[in-house]
Amino acid sequence: MGAVLLPPQEAGPDDVVLRWEGAEAVAVRLPQLAESLDHVLAAMERTAGGPLAALDRRAKQEVVRTLEARGAFAVRHGVETVAGALGVSRFTVYNYLNRAHGERAPERGRDEETDRPPAG
């Protein structure tokens, strides 16, 4: 994955500091995670044959499940990035994640795809 190990005192805000027996042992820097997510999304669009936003709801839910399995939501702003690529709200992405885990999102009286009040 291209990680770099650093002394803990050199850790930046996006680095992961690992502890061993209560003491900081090493910092791990995973470079360009956000760029990696962009590459994964671009590859998924190529596979889908077009923009992910054009997919139907079930296909978008599958995209979210696949991205979660790949760790996309561990990346800072991952949910926002994925929501933008899918053309849905952050709430909808969280709803898809909840469904993937067998949970129901609380009703908010909003359309799941647009995050707007239902028409009619």
Coordinates of all heavy atoms in Angstrom, one line a residue, residues 41-107:
L41 N -13.0 5.1 -7.6 CA -14.2 5.6 -8.2 C -14.1 5.6 -9.7 O -15.1 5.2 -10.4 CB -14.6 6.9 -7.6 CG -15.0 6.9 -6.1 CD1 -15.1 8.3 -5.6 CD2 -16.4 6.2 -6.0
A42 N -13.0 6.1 -10.2 CA -12.9 6.2 -11.7 C -12.9 4.8 -12.3 O -13.5 4.6 -13.4 CB -11.6 6.9 -12.0
A43 N -12.2 3.8 -11.7 CA -12.3 2.5 -12.2 C -13.7 1.9 -12.1 O -14.1 1.2 -13.1 CB -11.3 1.6 -11.3
M44 N -14.4 2.2 -11.1 CA -15.8 1.7 -11.0 C -16.6 2.3 -12.1 O -17.5 1.7 -12.6 CB -16.4 2.0 -9.6 CG -15.7 1.2 -8.5 SD -16.4 1.4 -6.9 CE -17.6 0.1 -6.9
E45 N -16.4 3.6 -12.4 CA -17.1 4.2 -13.5 C -16.8 3.6 -14.8 O -17.7 3.3 -15.7 CB -16.9 5.7 -13.6 CG -17.6 6.5 -12.5 CD -17.5 8.0 -12.7 OE1 -16.6 8.5 -13.3 OE2 -18.4 8.7 -12.1
R46 N -15.5 3.2 -15.1 CA -15.2 2.6 -16.3 C -15.9 1.2 -16.4 O -16.4 0.8 -17.4 CB -13.6 2.4 -16.4 CG -12.9 3.7 -16.8 CD -11.4 3.4 -17.1 NE -10.7 2.8 -16.0 CZ -10.1 3.5 -15.0 NH1 -10.3 4.8 -14.9 NH2 -9.5 2.8 -14.0
T47 N -15.9 0.5 -15.3 CA -16.6 -0.8 -15.3 C -18.1 -0.7 -15.5 O -18.6 -1.5 -16.2 CB -16.3 -1.5 -13.9 OG1 -14.9 -1.7 -13.7 CG2 -17.0 -2.9 -13.8
A48 N -18.7 0.4 -14.9 CA -20.1 0.6 -15.1 C -20.4 1.1 -16.5 O -21.6 1.1 -16.9 CB -20.6 1.6 -14.0
G49 N -19.4 1.6 -17.2 CA -19.7 2.2 -18.5 C -20.2 3.6 -18.5 O -20.7 4.0 -19.5
G50 N -20.1 4.3 -17.4 CA -20.6 5.6 -17.3 C -20.6 6.1 -15.9 O -20.1 5.4 -15.0
P51 N -21.1 7.3 -15.7 CA -21.1 7.9 -14.4 C -21.8 7.1 -13.3 O -22.9 6.5 -13.6 CB -21.8 9.3 -14.5 CG -21.8 9.5 -16.0 CD -21.7 8.2 -16.7
L52 N -21.3 7.0 -12.1 CA -21.9 6.2 -11.1 C -23.3 6.9 -10.7 O -24.2 6.2 -10.3 CB -21.0 6.1 -9.9 CG -19.7 5.4 -10.1 CD1 -18.9 5.4 -8.8 CD2 -20.0 3.9 -10.5
A53 N -23.4 8.2 -10.9 CA -24.6 8.9 -10.6 C -25.8 8.4 -11.5 O -26.9 8.5 -11.1 CB -24.4 10.4 -10.7
A54 N -25.5 7.8 -12.6 CA -26.5 7.3 -13.5 C -27.0 5.9 -13.1 O -28.0 5.5 -13.7 CB -26.0 7.3 -14.9
L55 N -26.4 5.3 -12.2 CA -26.8 3.9 -11.8 C -28.2 4.0 -11.0 O -28.5 5.0 -10.4 CB -25.8 3.3 -10.9 CG -24.4 3.1 -11.5 CD1 -23.4 2.6 -10.4 CD2 -24.5 2.1 -12.6
D56 N -28.9 2.9 -11.0 CA -30.1 2.8 -10.2 C -29.8 2.6 -8.7 O -28.6 2.4 -8.4 CB -31.1 1.7 -10.7 CG -30.5 0.3 -10.6 OD1 -29.6 0.1 -9.7 OD2 -31.0 -0.6 -11.3
R57 N -30.8 2.7 -7.9 CA -30.5 2.7 -6.4 C -29.8 1.4 -6.0 O -28.9 1.4 -5.2 CB -31.8 2.8 -5.7 CG -31.7 2.8 -4.2 CD -32.9 3.2 -3.5 NE -34.1 2.6 -4.1 CZ -34.9 1.7 -3.5 NH1 -34.6 1.2 -2.4 NH2 -35.9 1.2 -4.2
R58 N -30.3 0.2 -6.5 CA -29.6 -1.0 -6.1 C -28.2 -1.1 -6.5 O -27.3 -1.6 -5.7 CB -30.4 -2.2 -6.7 CG -31.7 -2.4 -6.0 CD -32.4 -3.7 -6.6 NE -33.8 -3.7 -6.2 CZ -34.2 -4.5 -5.3 NH1 -33.4 -5.3 -4.7 NH2 -35.5 -4.5 -4.9
A59 N -27.9 -0.6 -7.7 CA -26.5 -0.6 -8.1 C -25.6 0.4 -7.3 O -24.5 0.0 -6.9 CB -26.4 -0.2 -9.6
K60 N -26.2 1.5 -6.9 CA -25.5 2.4 -6.0 C -25.3 1.8 -4.6 O -24.2 2.0 -4.0 CB -26.3 3.7 -5.8 CG -26.3 4.6 -7.1 CD -27.1 5.8 -6.9 CE -27.1 6.6 -8.2 NZ -27.9 7.9 -8.1
Q61 N -26.2 1.0 -4.1 CA -26.1 0.4 -2.9 C -24.9 -0.7 -3.0 O -24.1 -0.8 -2.0 CB -27.4 -0.3 -2.4 CG -28.4 0.6 -2.0 CD -29.8 0.0 -1.8 OE1 -30.1 -1.1 -2.4 NE2 -30.7 0.6 -1.1
E62 N -24.8 -1.3 -4.1 CA -23.7 -2.3 -4.3 C -22.4 -1.6 -4.3 O -21.4 -2.1 -3.8 CB -24.0 -3.1 -5.5 CG -23.0 -4.2 -5.8 CD -22.9 -5.2 -4.6 OE1 -23.9 -5.5 -4.0 OE2 -21.7 -5.7 -4.4
V63 N -22.4 -0.5 -5.0 CA -21.1 0.3 -5.0 C -20.7 0.7 -3.6 O -19.5 0.6 -3.3 CB -21.3 1.6 -5.9 CG1 -20.2 2.6 -5.7 CG2 -21.4 1.2 -7.4
V64 N -21.6 1.1 -2.8 CA -21.3 1.5 -1.4 C -20.8 0.3 -0.6 O -19.8 0.4 0.1 CB -22.5 2.2 -0.7 CG1 -22.3 2.3 0.8 CG2 -22.8 3.6 -1.3
R65 N -21.4 -0.9 -0.8 CA -20.9 -2.1 -0.1 C -19.5 -2.4 -0.6 O -18.7 -2.8 0.2 CB -21.9 -3.2 -0.4 CG -23.1 -3.2 0.4 CD -23.9 -4.5 0.4 NE -24.5 -4.7 -1.0 CZ -25.6 -4.3 -1.4 NH1 -26.4 -3.5 -0.6 NH2 -26.1 -4.6 -2.6
T66 N -19.3 -2.3 -1.9 CA -17.9 -2.6 -2.4 C -16.9 -1.6 -1.9 O -15.8 -2.0 -1.4 CB -17.9 -2.6 -3.9 OG1 -18.9 -3.5 -4.4 CG2 -16.6 -2.8 -4.5
L67 N -17.2 -0.4 -1.9 CA -16.3 0.6 -1.4 C -16.0 0.5 0.1 O -14.9 0.7 0.6 CB -16.8 2.0 -1.7 CG -16.8 2.4 -3.1 CD1 -17.6 3.7 -3.4 CD2 -15.4 2.5 -3.7
E68 N -17.1 0.1 0.9 CA -16.9 -0.1 2.3 C -15.9 -1.3 2.5 O -15.0 -1.2 3.4 CB -18.2 -0.4 3.0 CG -17.9 -0.6 4.5 CD -19.2 -1.0 5.3 OE1 -20.1 -1.6 4.7 OE2 -19.2 -0.6 6.5
A69 N -16.0 -2.3 1.7 CA -15.1 -3.5 1.9 C -13.7 -3.1 1.5 O -12.8 -3.7 2.1 CB -15.6 -4.6 1.0
R70 N -13.5 -2.1 0.7 CA -12.2 -1.6 0.3 C -11.7 -0.6 1.2 O -10.6 0.0 1.0 CB -12.2 -1.1 -1.1 CG -12.5 -2.1 -2.2 CD -12.4 -1.5 -3.5 NE -12.5 -2.6 -4.6 CZ -12.3 -2.3 -5.8 NH1 -12.1 -1.1 -6.3 NH2 -12.4 -3.3 -6.7
G71 N -12.4 -0.2 2.2 CA -12.0 0.8 3.2 C -12.1 2.2 2.8 O -11.5 3.1 3.4
A72 N -13.0 2.5 1.9 CA -13.2 3.9 1.3 C -13.7 4.8 2.4 O -13.3 6.0 2.3 CB -14.2 3.9 0.2
F73 N -14.4 4.4 3.4 CA -15.0 5.3 4.3 C -14.1 5.5 5.5 O -14.4 6.3 6.4 CB -16.4 4.8 4.8 CG -17.3 4.7 3.6 CD1 -17.7 3.4 3.1 CD2 -17.6 5.8 2.8 CE1 -18.5 3.3 2.0 CE2 -18.4 5.7 1.7 CZ -18.8 4.5 1.3
A74 N -12.9 4.9 5.5 CA -11.8 5.3 6.5 C -11.1 6.5 6.1 O -10.3 7.1 6.9 CB -10.9 4.1 6.7
V75 N -11.2 6.9 4.8 CA -10.5 8.1 4.3 C -11.3 9.3 4.7 O -12.5 9.3 4.7 CB -10.5 8.0 2.7 CG1 -9.9 9.2 2.1 CG2 -9.7 6.7 2.3
R76 N -10.5 10.3 5.1 CA -11.2 11.6 5.5 C -12.0 12.1 4.3 O -11.5 12.1 3.1 CB -10.1 12.6 5.8 CG -10.7 14.0 6.2 CD -9.7 14.9 6.6 NE -9.2 14.5 8.0 CZ -8.3 15.1 8.6 NH1 -7.6 16.0 8.1 NH2 -7.9 14.7 9.8
H77 N -13.2 12.5 4.5 CA -14.2 13.0 3.5 C -14.6 11.9 2.6 O -15.1 12.2 1.5 CB -13.7 14.2 2.8 CG -13.3 15.3 3.7 ND1 -14.2 16.0 4.5 CD2 -12.0 15.9 3.9 CE1 -13.5 16.9 5.2 NE2 -12.2 16.8 4.9
G78 N -14.4 10.6 2.9 CA -14.8 9.5 2.1 C -16.3 9.5 1.7 O -16.7 9.3 0.6
V79 N -17.1 9.7 2.8 CA -18.5 9.7 2.5 C -18.9 10.8 1.6 O -19.7 10.6 0.7 CB -19.3 9.8 3.9 CG1 -20.8 10.0 3.6 CG2 -19.1 8.5 4.7
E80 N -18.4 12.0 1.8 CA -18.7 13.1 0.9 C -18.3 12.9 -0.5 O -19.0 13.2 -1.5 CB -18.1 14.4 1.4 CG -18.6 14.9 2.7 CD -18.0 14.3 4.0 OE1 -17.2 13.3 3.9 OE2 -18.3 14.8 5.1
T81 N -17.1 12.3 -0.7 CA -16.5 12.0 -2.0 C -17.4 11.0 -2.7 O -17.8 11.1 -3.9 CB -15.1 11.5 -1.9 OG1 -14.3 12.5 -1.2 CG2 -14.5 11.2 -3.3
V82 N -17.8 9.9 -2.0 CA -18.6 8.9 -2.6 C -20.0 9.4 -2.9 O -20.6 9.2 -4.0 CB -18.7 7.6 -1.7 CG1 -19.8 6.7 -2.2 CG2 -17.3 7.0 -1.6
A83 N -20.6 10.2 -2.0 CA -21.9 10.8 -2.2 C -21.9 11.7 -3.5 O -22.8 11.6 -4.3 CB -22.3 11.6 -1.0
G84 N -20.8 12.4 -3.7 CA -20.7 13.3 -4.9 C -20.6 12.4 -6.1 O -21.3 12.7 -7.1
A85 N -19.9 11.4 -6.1 CA -19.7 10.5 -7.3 C -21.0 9.8 -7.6 O -21.3 9.6 -8.8 CB -18.6 9.5 -7.0
L86 N -21.8 9.5 -6.6 CA -23.1 8.8 -6.8 C -24.2 9.7 -7.1 O -25.3 9.3 -7.4 CB -23.4 7.9 -5.6 CG -22.5 6.7 -5.3 CD1 -22.9 6.0 -4.0 CD2 -22.6 5.7 -6.5
G87 N -24.0 11.0 -6.8 CA -25.1 12.0 -7.0 C -26.2 11.9 -6.0 O -27.4 12.1 -6.3
V88 N -25.8 11.5 -4.8 CA -26.8 11.4 -3.7 C -26.2 12.2 -2.5 O -25.1 12.7 -2.5 CB -27.0 9.9 -3.2 CG1 -27.6 9.1 -4.4 CG2 -25.7 9.3 -2.7
S89 N -27.0 12.3 -1.5 CA -26.6 13.0 -0.3 C -25.7 12.1 0.6 O -25.7 10.9 0.5 CB -27.8 13.5 0.5 OG -28.5 12.4 1.1
R90 N -25.1 12.8 1.6 CA -24.3 12.0 2.6 C -25.3 11.1 3.4 O -25.0 9.9 3.7 CB -23.6 12.9 3.5 CG -22.4 13.6 2.9 CD -21.8 14.5 3.9 NE -22.8 15.1 4.8 CZ -22.5 15.8 5.9 NH1 -21.3 16.0 6.3 NH2 -23.5 16.3 6.6
F91 N -26.5 11.6 3.7 CA -27.5 10.8 4.4 C -27.8 9.5 3.7 O -27.9 8.5 4.3 CB -28.7 11.7 4.6 CG -29.9 10.9 5.2 CD1 -29.9 10.6 6.6 CD2 -30.9 10.4 4.4 CE1 -30.9 9.8 7.1 CE2 -31.9 9.7 5.0 CZ -31.9 9.4 6.3
T92 N -27.9 9.6 2.4 CA -28.2 8.5 1.6 C -27.1 7.4 1.6 O -27.3 6.2 1.8 CB -28.5 8.8 0.1 OG1 -29.7 9.7 0.1 CG2 -28.8 7.6 -0.8
V93 N -25.8 7.9 1.6 CA -24.7 7.0 1.7 C -24.7 6.3 3.1 O -24.6 5.1 3.2 CB -23.3 7.7 1.5 CG1 -22.2 6.8 1.8 CG2 -23.3 8.2 0.0
Y94 N -25.0 7.1 4.1 CA -25.1 6.5 5.5 C -26.2 5.5 5.5 O -26.1 4.4 6.1 CB -25.2 7.5 6.5 CG -23.9 8.3 6.8 CD1 -23.8 9.6 6.6 CD2 -22.8 7.6 7.3 CE1 -22.7 10.3 6.9 CE2 -21.6 8.2 7.6 CZ -21.6 9.6 7.4 OH -20.4 10.3 7.7
N95 N -27.3 5.8 4.9 CA -28.5 4.9 4.8 C -28.1 3.6 4.1 O -28.4 2.5 4.6 CB -29.6 5.6 4.1 CG -30.9 4.9 4.3 OD1 -31.0 3.9 5.1 ND2 -32.0 5.3 3.6
Y96 N -27.4 3.7 3.0 CA -26.9 2.5 2.3 C -26.0 1.7 3.2 O -26.1 0.4 3.2 CB -26.2 2.8 1.0 CG -27.0 3.4 -0.1 CD1 -26.4 4.0 -1.2 CD2 -28.4 3.4 -0.1 CE1 -27.1 4.5 -2.2 CE2 -29.2 4.0 -1.1 CZ -28.5 4.5 -2.2 OH -29.2 5.1 -3.2
L97 N -25.1 2.3 3.9 CA -24.2 1.6 4.8 C -25.0 0.9 5.9 O -24.7 -0.3 6.3 CB -23.2 2.6 5.5 CG -22.1 3.1 4.5 CD1 -21.4 4.2 5.1 CD2 -21.2 1.9 4.1
N98 N -26.0 1.6 6.5 CA -26.9 1.0 7.5 C -27.6 -0.3 7.0 O -27.7 -1.3 7.6 CB -27.9 2.0 8.1 CG -27.2 3.0 9.0 OD1 -26.1 2.8 9.5 ND2 -27.9 4.1 9.1
R99 N -28.1 -0.1 5.7 CA -28.8 -1.3 5.1 C -27.8 -2.5 4.9 O -28.2 -3.6 5.1 CB -29.4 -0.9 3.8 CG -30.6 0.0 4.0 CD -31.2 0.4 2.7 NE -32.2 1.4 2.9 CZ -33.4 1.4 2.3 NH1 -33.6 0.6 1.3 NH2 -34.3 2.3 2.6
A100 N -26.6 -2.1 4.6 CA -25.6 -3.2 4.3 C -25.3 -4.0 5.6 O -25.0 -5.1 5.6 CB -24.3 -2.6 3.8
H101 N -25.5 -3.3 6.8 CA -25.3 -3.9 8.1 C -26.6 -4.4 8.7 O -26.6 -4.8 9.8 CB -24.6 -2.9 9.0 CG -23.2 -2.5 8.6 ND1 -22.2 -3.3 8.8 CD2 -22.8 -1.4 7.9 CE1 -21.1 -2.8 8.3 NE2 -21.4 -1.6 7.7
G102 N -27.7 -4.4 7.9 CA -29.0 -4.9 8.4 C -29.7 -3.9 9.4 O -30.6 -4.4 10.1
E103 N -29.3 -2.7 9.4 CA -29.9 -1.7 10.3 C -30.8 -0.9 9.4 O -30.7 -0.7 8.2 CB -28.8 -0.8 10.9 CG -27.8 -1.6 11.7 CD -26.6 -0.7 12.0 OE1 -26.7 0.5 11.8 OE2 -25.6 -1.3 12.5
R104 N -31.8 -0.3 10.1 CA -32.7 0.7 9.4 C -32.3 2.1 9.9 O -32.2 2.3 11.0 CB -34.2 0.4 9.8 CG -34.7 -0.9 9.2 CD -35.0 -0.8 7.8 NE -36.0 0.3 7.5 CZ -36.2 0.8 6.3 NH1 -35.6 0.3 5.3 NH2 -37.0 1.7 6.1
A105 N -32.2 3.0 8.9 CA -32.0 4.4 9.3 C -33.2 5.0 9.8 O -34.3 4.6 9.4 CB -31.5 5.1 8.0
P106 N -33.2 5.9 10.7 CA -34.4 6.5 11.2 C -35.0 7.3 10.1 O -34.4 7.9 9.3 CB -33.8 7.5 12.4 CG -32.4 7.6 12.2 CD -31.9 6.4 11.3
E107 N -36.4 7.3 10.1 CA -37.1 8.0 9.2 C -37.0 9.5 9.4 O -37.0 10.0 10.5 CB -38.6 7.7 9.3 CG -39.1 6.5 8.5 CD -38.8 6.6 7.0 OE1 -39.0 7.6 6.4 OE2 -38.2 5.6 6.5

